[in-house]
Amino acid sequence: MNNRKASCLYIKEDICNMSVADNLKQIQDSLPNHVTLVAVSKTHTVDHIMNAYHEGQRDFGENKVQELTSKAEVIPKDVRWHLIGHLQTNKVKYVAGFVHMIHAIDSLKLLKEVNKRAAKSNRIIECLLQVHIAEEDTKFGLSHDECEGLLTDPLVSEMKNIRIKGLMGMATFTDDKVQVNREFAGLKKLFDELAQKHPNLEYWDPTVLSMGMSGDYPLAVEEGSNMVRVGSSIFGARDYN
Ligand SMILES: *Cc1c(COP(=O)(O)O)cnc(C)c1O
């Protein structure tokens, strides 16, 4: 509690609270019912997360393991934590006991480790395969072929403690709507194909298509997303210092 008033001065606090609440409401109201809003709280304080929590928000996303675990310790346990960033194999153990969904599975090695750690915690962890859809090559993810290869890998069929719930992708950071649309539409197409082609894999339950961030979530929803990961439009700009 000690830093609470320092970051957001007493008198201003209501205003701070209100803007997170207002932003959240506005976005929630704009989303169709079948779309889950993951509030991306990375770099933002526990206070801000709690503002959103008090508005009824329960799905939160973080991209760093350390930040996620320290926040999860102090935030009510009914929050569903989504790990949305690139995950290193050696850090899986820190989140396996509580994380709700891991969005960025991009290798067999990582999936194996998630399965192993989930088993130790007696849990089944929901996972998404991250597909590389951006034309820029700075972002992580599997190609379409790699994605199907991982999904159908015989080793994966032996994993009892993971469920692959769908796919995740990040579009190119650009104002070119045609391009962003094309990238989202491509991921939706892959999702539908993989759902159709592999209807009977026990560990594959294709119900989640995670695409869309602050700058492009309306387009993503139009193209078939049912889970959007929105940070700055709810919590404001991030300060990485
Ligand atoms: C940070 C982040 C987001 C949210 O970004 P905003 O532009 O602030 O909405 C979504 N997805 C991933 C993977 C992220 O790392």
Side-chain angles (χ1 to χ4, degrees):
M1 296 300 271
N2 47 331
N3 287 327
R4 191 185 160 94
K5 308 301 179 203
S7 59
C8 191
L9 290 174
Y10 209 30
I11 292 172
K12 280 199 198 147
E13 197 169 47
D14 276 351
I15 299 169
C16 291
N17 288 348
M18 247 179 70
S19 65
V20 168
D22 284 352
N23 296 340
L24 191 63
K25 272 222 172 67
Q26 216 167 43
I27 293 168
Q28 270 165 347
D29 287 350
S30 77
L31 291 172
N33 280 335
H34 69 277
V35 178
T36 301
L37 172 61
V38 177
V40 177
S41 48
K42 64 190 189 198
T43 78
H44 293 288
T45 62
V46 167
D47 278 358
H48 279 99
I49 296 175
M50 288 311 295
N51 293 340
Y53 180 89
H54 290 311
E55 294 303 312
Q57 181 65 31
R58 290 296 180 273
D59 289 278
F60 289 90
E62 291 281 340
N63 71 337
K64 295 223 163 69
V65 166
Q66 164 84 57
E67 191 176 345
L68 170 59
T69 53
S70 61
K71 284 173 173 171
E73 257 173 45
V74 296
I75 282 175
K77 301 299 174 215
D78 61 339
V79 157
R80 291 179 289 273
W81 289 105
H82 297 249
L83 187 58
I84 60 174
H86 180 67
L87 175 59
Q88 286 172 309
T89 309
N90 61 356
K91 294 197 173 162
V92 173
K93 56 178 177 284
Y94 301 117
V95 298
F98 70 93
V99 73
H100 172 67
M101 183 176 275
I102 297 175
H103 287 231
I105 299 292
D106 59 0
S107 71
L108 180 62
K109 184 173 161 232
L110 179 57
L111 202 53
K112 258 186 181 159
E113 178 68 9
V114 172
N115 183 62
K116 179 177 137 192
R117 297 290 172 178
K120 282 198 172 157
S121 299
N122 231 329
R123 303 184 66 221
I124 292 175
I125 296 182
E126 301 193 343
C127 297
L128 303 178
L129 303 182
Q130 182 173 4
V131 180
H132 180 98
I133 58 170
E135 282 165 26
E136 58 196 6
D137 53 28
T138 52
K139 292 189 176 138
F140 294 102
L142 304 156
S143 70
H144 287 204
D145 285 348
E146 287 167 341
C147 181
E148 184 167 18
L150 180 53
L151 183 65
T152 55
D153 193 301
L155 287 173
V156 177
S157 68
E158 289 164 20
M159 298 181 185
K160 303 294 179 215
N161 294 81
I162 53 117
R163 284 291 173 281
I164 303 178
K165 300 290 288 185
L167 307 180
M168 181 272 229
M170 290 168 87
T172 302
F173 190 69
T174 170
D175 289 334
D176 183 348
K177 285 192 175 178
V178 175
Q179 182 181 346
V180 173
N181 258 338
R182 183 170 65 233
E183 293 174 1
F184 284 148
L187 186 58
K188 166 70 168 150
K189 185 162 172 272
L190 178 66
F191 176 83
D192 288 342
E193 280 170 8
L194 293 178
Q196 264 201 338
K197 240 174 118 176
H198 306 288
N200 293 320
L201 302 174
E202 214 175 304
Y203 56 89
W204 166 233
D205 175 25
T207 49
V208 177
L209 184 54
S210 168
M211 57 185 198
M213 311 174 28
S214 291
D216 55 21
Y217 73 87
L219 286 182
V221 170
E222 271 176 40
E223 294 303 326
S225 167
N226 61 12
M227 184 173 278
V228 295
R229 309 173 310 268
V230 180
S232 25
S233 291
I234 297 171
F235 296 106
R238 283 181 290 274
D239 179 357
Y240 284 99
N241 296 313

